[in-house]
């Protein structure tokens, strides 16, 4: 066997160790090329003197290609890999013909492969990092430091891949697509690797540059799996790359969840579809990202355009059985759904030894079919039509014949660098939301009026806001201001003179916004017009009521039965006319949280978007409305058998169209759904919160959701209304109301609905104090932070590890956050607590406070306030301290420049 290596401009040569067995297959071949000054020829000769008659290969290093002196031979001891930029030519007798197991192998007409085609492992380097790939599908990603922890990954290979060895190939110099390494397994299973530093290549623009261009050193992976190879496979359902989770390594990012956990590995995130949901079957929420970062600096990004993208993290080792699957439900159905994801029972000990599987699963499936998870996209005709641009691979496979998963990986050293790297790949808004959306509070009618809002209630709320000492901001009129959904007409029975109402609100200093969504109620004029024009999503035959209540396990069947009855009879009674009659659906209709049968706007139809936006703007001009709250937009709200004007190639595309083509047309706006829409310059709202304390969609979930938004590139986060939504008979007491306000007021925007004056005098005074604290601490810093966030996506509210990403103590803290780099907010989120532990990272810190004893005069426009900092005590971090936190106090710490220091607290 003759092996030749040619040094490239990218490497240095080190030929180390090649084994062959008696069949002629090389178990391991490694060449690392680096000394570009030399042309190196390595002559490899076989020896059969090894124990057990194993073949042994020696390699020769020569700086002169004519030098074949015997003293130049050397035996190498390590296995290694194919380095970036190296071209190997391997000529092996008896193997000069194409092997049928490798239908796409790039052999030339002489049977010579350009690569180390029969090696057991290969490596590619980019900058100071290395990606090592083995023929069993395992992968190691390592950074610049030898002692640094290596991120372990693995390809999930079907059985067909094991019938023969893998082959690795590098493209010839100047190859059009610039691939650094291709590894192929039997059955047409391929992994292609590019260096991120070659992102500028035109051929990579469609594949990676739209979503991973911020990685300047790292790796771009394309895993292609022939669907034919998945036949009779019970454990492989598509192209999957799994990352190993380890104790002490923490992960951040992903998505908003019903039970929001920080860091992510605390959860058992069950494998399911990765697209925006309103209460998804595995707990997934409305804000979904496609990247994850680790405390050791690993960056993992997946192409958001992947048609059948699935994700799971530390999934339970015992999955749901087909008799009781996870499912998607709406409205009253939520009462029968569990709060997900589950919390790993071993959190805080050995995280992955109980319950969870210790893996991050990223999948491009071949089908939506899943007996354990039921969701709407399993019922859509276009749901598995791939895009040529998205699914085409470098070897020319037809899109419908393969599953394609594209990832970007990088090793950046720490969590802050990893987050900045990921954020650089996302589009920026360019400008922040209008200043009033950040500087003044939003007041909404939802939690107190729900669907029964009236003009008199709106005006009474506005007057009380001023009477009790709050400043005017944005007053949002929520659900059921319309007679019928979609008509954009005030219900004349509830709003006798809406123009005068809007004028009165403006005179009081309020902006006025209205709640809208992309749904049209049957019987409305808009429904009829949109249907005639072809602007609604069409559907197939709808399910009958019997079919609906016969699907899934006991919980799903019970929830579906109640939902059908509620929709038919608009129960509980007392709602205004226009509800109900939704028990039986027609083609193109679907269930939502209301009780009326509705159809959805076809956002793939440009004419439909133009029509919808023009109607909103015309209505806005007629009544003087300042903007809109754009609700819904998740792709789960589509009819069974949905048919759109053009196919949606991936679910999140519907959300993108709603945000980019509709909401972005209005400067005063907010949305609740997000999917690769970081360029939107409005507010991104958290999902509806229940009026409870816990992580199960209550108060304690707010800071984890805020920090997740920050990592995902949504710095203009609007927390849900203070005190929650008052669903299911819930209502906050004084303590919950005050603590909720203290958490919310230090976030980029703040939203009220339940009036604090309706709770108690103590609640009112403490909530006013929280608003004053916002004015004194956050607002002076907000313009500069918002401007930076709009241009870079660097968050306004940051995880504690942002200050010192090497401080391991900060990684798991989920009840504190930073404002910029000089303020730490540490609210109390435990019921009954009147003190708390606070962690202070490195630096010098003083405590800031406000006296909540506020005097309100008759107009509510003047008050007496006292702010203080305890300048006598400066804390030197890193340290833990214990602070008093009576109900009226919000613990806040500010960086100090004082040189006289008093060391307090316990380090570490």
């Amino acid at each position: 066997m003759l092996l030749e290596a040619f040094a490239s401009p990218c490497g240095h040569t080190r030929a180390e160790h090649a084994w062959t067995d008696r069949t002629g297959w090389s178990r391991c071949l490694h060449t690392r090329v680096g000394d570009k000054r030399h042309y190196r020829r390595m002559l490899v000769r076989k020896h059969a003197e090894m124990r057990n008659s194993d073949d042994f290969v020696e390699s020769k290093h020569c700086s002169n290609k004519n030098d074949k002196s015997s003293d130049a031979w050397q035996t190498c001891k390590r296995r290694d890999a194919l380095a970036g930029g190296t071209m190997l030519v391997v000529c092996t007798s008896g193997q000069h013909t194409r092997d049928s197991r490798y239908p796409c192998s790039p052999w030339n007409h002489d049977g010579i492969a350009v690569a180390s085609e029969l090696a057991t492992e290969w490596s590619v380097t980019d900058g100071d990092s290395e990606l090592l790939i083995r023929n069993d599908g395992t992968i190691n990603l390592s950074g610049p430091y030898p002692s640094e922890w290596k991120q372990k990954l693995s390809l999930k290979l079907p059985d067909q891949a094991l019938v023969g060895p893998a082959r690795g190939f590098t493209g010839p110099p100047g190859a059009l697509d610039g691939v650094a390494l291709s590894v192929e397994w039997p059955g047409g299973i391929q992994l292609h690797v590019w260096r991120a530093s070659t992102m500028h290549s035109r051929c990579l623009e469609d594949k990676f540059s739209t979503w991973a261009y911020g990685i300047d050193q790292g790796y771009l992976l394309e895993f292609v799996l022939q669907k034919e190879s998945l036949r009779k496979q019970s454990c492989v359902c598509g192209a999957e790359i799994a990352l190993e989770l380890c104790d002490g390594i923490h992960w951040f990012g992903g998505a908003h969840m019903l039970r929001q956990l920080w860091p992510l590995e605390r959860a058992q995130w069950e494998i399911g579809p990765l697209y925006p949901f309103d209460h998804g079957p595995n707990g997934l929420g409305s804000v979904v990202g496609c990247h994850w970062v680790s405390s050791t600096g690993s960056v993992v990004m997946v192409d958001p355009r992947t048609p059948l993208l699935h994700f799971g993290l530390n999934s339970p080792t015992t999955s749901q059985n087909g008799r009781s699957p996870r499912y998607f439900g709406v409205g009253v159905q939520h009462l029968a759904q569990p709060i997900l994801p589950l919390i790993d029972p071993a959190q805080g000990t050995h995280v992955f030894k109980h319950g969870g599987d210790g893996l991050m699963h990223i999948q491009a499936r071949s089908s939506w079919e899943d007996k354990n998870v039921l969701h709407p996209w399993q019922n859509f005709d276009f749901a598995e039509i791939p895009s040529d641009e998205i699914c085409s691979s470098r070897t020319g496979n037809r899109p419908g014949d393969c599953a394609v998963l594209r990832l970007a990986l990088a090793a950046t050293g720490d969590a802050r660098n990893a987050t900045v790297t990921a954020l650089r790949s996302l589009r920026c808004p360019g400008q922040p939301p209008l200043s009033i959306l950040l500087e003044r509070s939003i007041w909404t009618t939802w939690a107190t009026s729900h669907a029964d809002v009236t003009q008199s209630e709106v005006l009474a709320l506005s007057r009380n806001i001023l009477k009790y000492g709050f400043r005017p901001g944005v007053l949002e009129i929520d659900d059921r201001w319309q007679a019928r959904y979609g008509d954009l007409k005030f219900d004349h029975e509830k709003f006798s003179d809406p123009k005068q109402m809007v004028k009165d609100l403006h005179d009081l200093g309020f902006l006025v916004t209205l709640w809208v969504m992309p749904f049209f109620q049957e019987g409305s004029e808009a429904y009829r017009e949109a249907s005639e024009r072809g602007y609604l999503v069409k559907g197939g035959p709808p399910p009958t009521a019997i079919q609906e209540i016969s699907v899934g396990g006991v919980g799903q069947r019970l929830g579906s039965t109640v939902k059908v009855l509620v929709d038919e009879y608009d129960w509980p009674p007392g709602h205004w006319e226009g509800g109900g009659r939704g028990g039986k659906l027609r083609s193109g209709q679907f269930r939502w949280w209301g009780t009326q049968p509705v159809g959805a706007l076809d956002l793939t139809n440009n004419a439909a978007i133009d029509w919808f936006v023009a109607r909103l703007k015309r209505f806005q001009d007629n009544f003087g409305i300042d903007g809109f709250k754009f609700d819904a937009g998740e792709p789960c709200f589509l009819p069974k058998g949905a048919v759109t004007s053009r196919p949606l190639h991936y679910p999140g595309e519907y959300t993108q169209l709603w945000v980019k083509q509709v909401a972005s047309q209005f400067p005063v706006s907010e949305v609740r759904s997000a999917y690769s829409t970081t360029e939107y310059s409005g507010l991104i709202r958290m999902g509806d919160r229940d009026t409870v304390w816990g992580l199960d969609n209550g108060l304690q979930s707010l800071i984890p959701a805020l920090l997740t938004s920050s990592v995902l590139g949504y710095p203009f986060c609007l927390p849900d209304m203070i005190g929650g939504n008052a669903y299911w008979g819930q209502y906050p007491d004084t303590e919950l109301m005050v603590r909720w306000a203290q958490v919310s007021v230090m976030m980029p925007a703040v939203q009220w609905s339940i009036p604090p004056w309706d709770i108690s005098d103590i609640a009112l005074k403490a909530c006013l104090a929280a608003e004053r604290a916002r004015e004194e601490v956050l607002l002076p810093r907000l313009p500069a932070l918002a401007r930076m966030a709009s241009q870079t996506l660097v968050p306004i509210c940051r995880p504690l590890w942002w200050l010192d990403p090497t401080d391991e103590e900060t990684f798991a803290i989920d009840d504190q956050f930073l404002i910029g780099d000089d303020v730490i907010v540490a609210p109390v989120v435990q019921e009954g607590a009147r003190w708390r532990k606070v962690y202070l990272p490195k630096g010098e810190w003083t405590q800031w406070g406000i006296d909540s004893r506020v005097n309100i005069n008759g107009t509510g426009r003047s008050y007496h306030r006292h702010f203080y900092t305890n300048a006598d005590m400066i804390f030197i971090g890193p340290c833990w301290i214990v602070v008093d936190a009576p109900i009226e106090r919000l613990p806040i710490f500010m960086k100090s420049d004082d040189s006289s220091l008093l060391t307090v607290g316990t380090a570490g």
Side-chain angles (χ1 to χ4, degrees):
M1 179 174 70
L2 173 67
L3 179 150
E4 292 187 323
F6 300 85
S8 78
C10 301
H12 60 97
T13 301
R14 186 172 78 246
E16 304 179 75
H17 186 117
W19 292 93
T20 61
D21 61 22
R22 288 176 220 165
T23 65
W25 295 108
S26 172
R27 293 178 185 166
C28 174
L29 177 61
H30 169 75
T31 301
R32 179 166 298 188
V33 178
D35 189 346
K36 63 184 179 182
R37 295 173 299 172
H38 299 297
Y39 167 96
R40 297 186 181 256
R41 161 172 284 189
M42 290 165 287
L43 297 177
V44 182
R45 63 182 183 182
K46 282 190 176 183
H47 293 271
E49 295 106 13
M50 298 298 293
R51 182 179 301 178
N52 299 326
S53 299
D54 283 344
D55 293 335
F56 178 72
V57 176
E58 292 183 338
S59 64
K60 179 182 179 182
H61 289 206
C62 307
S63 59
N64 184 332
K65 65 179 181 180
N66 296 318
D67 180 9
K68 299 181 181 179
S69 57
S70 60
D71 58 354
W73 292 97
Q74 58 178 303
T75 301
C76 303
K77 300 297 183 184
R78 338 181 8 218
R79 290 185 301 170
D80 214 318
L82 178 66
T86 305
M87 182 178 74
L88 295 181
V89 180
V90 182
C91 304
T92 309
S93 60
Q95 304 209 358
H96 290 179
T97 58
R98 181 186 296 268
D99 193 319
S100 61
R101 291 173 295 186
Y102 303 87
C104 300
S105 298
W107 291 73
N108 69 16
H109 65 280
D110 294 324
I112 298 177
V114 181
S116 59
E117 91 266 10
L118 302 179
T120 60
E121 56 185 43
W122 305 264
S123 80
V124 178
T125 60
D126 194 15
D128 295 326
S129 64
E130 180 182 37
L131 193 73
L132 180 65
I133 302 165
R134 298 186 177 89
N135 66 356
D136 61 357
T138 57
I139 302 173
N140 281 355
L141 171 66
S142 57
Y145 306 107
S147 59
E148 191 176 73
W149 178 81
K150 293 179 174 60
Q151 176 62 61
K152 297 180 180 179
L153 308 88
S154 61
L155 309 177
K156 198 161 188 180
L157 299 173
D159 295 341
Q160 191 171 349
L162 306 178
V163 301
R167 296 179 176 182
F169 307 91
T170 57
L176 290 179
D177 63 357
V179 68
L181 173 67
S182 292
V183 181
E184 183 178 354
W185 288 264
I189 300 161
Q190 306 153 43
L191 176 69
H192 311 298
V193 181
W194 292 264
R195 295 180 191 80
S197 57
T198 65
M199 183 76 73
H200 62 275
S201 173
R202 180 177 299 178
C203 61
L204 295 183
E205 289 182 0
D206 289 341
K207 294 178 183 290
F208 298 101
S209 65
T210 58
W211 57 274
Y213 57 84
I215 298 181
D216 50 12
Q217 289 185 6
Y219 307 95
L220 312 173
L221 278 61
E222 182 181 70
F223 183 29
V224 183
L225 192 147
Q226 297 285 338
K227 291 182 180 180
E228 182 71 20
S229 67
L230 298 176
R231 290 187 177 183
K232 299 180 180 180
Q233 295 288 311
S234 59
C235 298
V236 182
C237 51
E240 176 179 342
I241 297 180
L243 286 79
E244 181 179 310
L245 308 178
C246 293
D247 289 340
I249 308 300
H250 305 281
W251 286 89
F252 313 97
H256 284 190
M257 307 292 287
L258 195 59
R259 177 181 279 125
Q260 194 75 52
L261 296 170
W262 176 278
L264 280 175
E265 75 278 354
R266 294 178 58 196
Q268 292 183 1
W269 183 338
E270 299 175 25
I271 299 175
L274 191 67
Y275 65 80
F277 276 98
D278 177 22
H279 288 232
N282 58 355
L284 199 60
S286 298
V287 176
V288 175
C290 289
H291 69 259
W292 300 262
V293 300
S294 79
S295 57
T296 55
S298 296
V299 182
V300 180
M301 307 181 71
V302 64
D303 189 346
R305 305 166 302 171
T306 305
L308 296 109
L309 184 60
H310 284 66
F311 180 85
L313 188 141
N314 195 31
S315 301
T317 54
T318 303
S319 63
Q320 291 295 114
N321 59 61
R323 295 182 179 179
S324 184
R326 302 298 192 198
Y327 65 96
F328 167 69
V330 293
V332 71
Q333 288 175 290
H334 294 158
L335 292 175
Q337 287 181 286
I339 302 293
L340 297 174
L342 302 173
I343 299 177
D344 193 285
Q347 60 160 308
T349 55
H350 297 288
V351 177
F352 307 113
K353 293 186 178 179
H354 305 278
D357 64 6
L359 296 172
M360 177 190 295
H361 301 269
I362 305 175
Q363 303 173 341
R365 292 196 175 185
S366 61
S367 167
W368 288 114
E369 182 181 354
D370 189 339
K371 66 179 181 180
N372 296 319
V373 180
L374 305 181
H375 60 94
W377 272 63
Q378 293 166 331
N379 302 313
F380 297 165
D381 293 338
F382 56 74
E384 295 177 16
I385 301 175
S387 162
D388 289 346
E389 176 184 300
I390 297 169
C391 291
S392 61
S393 71
R394 72 182 298 267
T395 51
N397 290 297
R398 292 188 303 171
D401 294 340
C402 58
V404 179
L405 178 63
R406 295 194 183 111
L407 290 186
L409 304 174
T412 67
D414 62 58
R416 183 178 60 201
N417 286 335
T419 303
V420 171
T421 297
L423 296 180
R424 281 204 307 262
S425 296
L426 307 176
R427 294 182 176 89
C428 300
Q431 61 183 14
L434 290 183
S435 59
I436 192 171
L437 298 178
L438 304 177
E439 295 170 359
R440 300 293 181 89
S441 295
I442 297 172
W443 290 81
T444 175
T445 62
W446 172 247
T448 51
S449 298
H450 287 157
D452 298 325
V453 63
T454 65
Q455 179 172 324
S456 60
E457 289 178 347
V458 171
L459 291 173
L461 174 62
S462 67
R463 289 189 290 266
N464 282 332
I465 290 169
L466 303 181
K467 173 184 176 181
Y468 288 104
F470 293 89
R471 287 185 169 84
V474 178
L475 202 153
E476 184 261 325
I477 303 173
D478 213 283
D479 195 1
R480 292 295 295 171
W481 58 270
Q482 303 175 79
R484 287 181 173 81
Y485 292 116
D487 270 347
L488 298 183
K489 293 181 179 180
F490 278 101
D491 186 332
H492 69 274
E493 293 185 9
K494 301 166 71 176
F495 294 86
S496 58
D497 192 350
K499 278 191 176 183
Q500 185 61 45
M501 176 191 69
V502 173
K503 182 180 182 303
D504 291 344
L505 293 172
H506 284 165
D507 290 343
L508 292 173
F510 289 93
L511 297 186
V512 181
T513 61
L514 297 173
W515 175 89
V516 294
M517 77 295 198
F519 305 157
F520 299 89
Q521 180 180 344
E522 183 185 37
S524 67
E525 294 178 14
Y527 184 95
R528 177 184 55 77
E529 181 180 354
S531 183
E532 290 175 354
R533 291 172 176 258
Y535 292 166
L536 297 182
V537 177
K538 298 178 175 60
T544 65
I546 297 298
Q547 289 173 331
E548 287 189 79
I549 66 176
S550 302
V551 176
V554 174
Q556 182 176 359
R557 295 184 182 198
L558 176 61
S560 298
T561 301
V562 174
K563 175 62 175 167
V564 169
L565 293 174
V566 167
D567 285 5
E568 179 64 27
Y569 299 106
D570 197 27
W571 185 87
H575 285 233
W576 293 82
E577 185 179 355
R581 301 188 304 280
K584 183 178 180 180
L585 299 177
R586 300 184 184 184
S587 178
Q589 297 176 350
F590 54 91
R591 300 208 181 279
W592 62 300
W593 59 91
T595 62
Q596 303 81 358
V598 292
L601 181 68
D602 185 354
L603 293 171
T604 69
N605 186 331
N606 291 334
I609 292 176
D610 292 342
W611 171 80
F612 186 79
V613 170
R615 293 176 69 249
L616 286 176
K617 290 188 174 181
R618 186 167 57 249
F619 177 80
Q620 189 177 20
D621 292 340
N622 289 341
F623 288 90
I625 302 300
D626 298 287
F628 297 97
K629 171 182 178 178
F630 291 96
D631 212 351
E634 299 90 349
C636 54
F637 291 113
L638 293 173
K640 182 177 181 180
V643 178
T644 51
S645 177
R646 64 167 178 81
L648 289 165
H649 297 300
Y650 53 98
E653 187 179 5
Y654 191 84
T655 299
Q656 291 171 346
L657 292 168
W658 176 239
V659 175
K660 296 178 182 181
Q661 302 300 320
V662 179
S664 294
Q665 302 291 323
F666 300 88
V668 178
S669 63
E670 64 175 82
V671 298
R672 79 171 189 186
S673 54
Y675 185 84
S676 296
T677 50
T678 52
E679 67 268 47
Y680 171 64
S681 61
L683 300 176
I684 294 86
R685 179 173 63 90
M686 295 182 193
D688 292 3
R689 281 334 194 240
D690 294 323
T691 305
V692 295
W693 281 88
L695 281 166
D696 48 343
N697 206 42
L699 171 61
Q700 292 170 16
S701 69
L702 293 184
I703 295 177
L706 169 73
L707 298 179
T708 298
S709 294
S710 297
V711 170
L712 292 179
Y714 298 102
F716 303 111
C717 178
L718 173 64
D720 195 35
M721 53 202 69
I722 291 171
N725 284 260
Y727 291 143
W728 323 120
Q730 301 167 343
Y731 208 70
D733 60 12
T734 293
E735 184 184 14
L736 181 57
M737 188 72 186
V738 170
R739 295 307 195 192
W740 206 301
Q742 291 170 346
V743 170
S744 296
V745 294
M746 290 300 166
M747 296 185 183
V750 63
Q751 180 177 203
W752 298 85
S753 187
I754 298 173
W757 54 86
D758 281 355
I759 304 297
S760 69
D761 289 342
I762 294 175
L764 173 60
K765 291 179 179 179
C767 288
L768 282 169
E771 280 273 357
R772 302 294 90 82
R774 176 182 179 83
E775 294 169 9
E776 294 294 324
V777 175
L778 176 61
L779 294 192
R781 295 168 170 81
L782 196 52
L785 290 171
R787 188 164 52 252
M788 177 188 296
S790 69
Q791 297 169 358
T792 65
L793 296 181
V794 169
I796 296 169
C797 297
R798 305 168 183 176
L800 223 57
W801 44 254
W802 197 273
L803 272 185
D804 183 6
T806 64
D807 186 349
E808 296 182 2
E809 201 75 22
T810 63
F811 296 148
I813 294 176
D814 65 349
D815 59 357
Q816 298 178 219
F817 60 92
L818 292 166
I819 298 174
D821 286 338
D822 66 340
V823 176
I824 291 176
V825 183
V828 172
V829 294
Q830 297 292 335
E831 185 177 8
R834 297 297 182 266
W835 60 271
R836 66 156 295 165
K837 291 177 65 179
V838 176
Y839 186 74
L840 302 175
K842 67 179 181 181
E844 303 164 15
W845 303 89
T846 59
Q847 187 171 5
W848 182 95
I850 182 173
D851 190 336
S852 68
R853 293 168 294 178
V854 180
N855 298 317
I856 306 169
N857 65 16
T859 66
R861 298 307 298 273
S862 63
Y863 43 83
H864 183 64
R865 61 188 180 187
H866 297 282
F867 302 100
Y868 66 87
T869 56
N870 190 350
D872 295 332
M873 184 173 293
I874 297 178
F875 304 96
I876 304 177
C879 65
W880 282 99
I881 62 173
V882 175
V883 298
D884 290 332
I887 191 170
E888 70 275 5
R889 183 174 299 170
L890 168 59
I892 297 173
F893 292 82
M894 309 181 77
K895 270 197 171 179
S896 172
D897 295 325
D898 197 326
S899 59
S900 69
L901 305 177
L902 175 63
T903 303
V904 180
T906 304

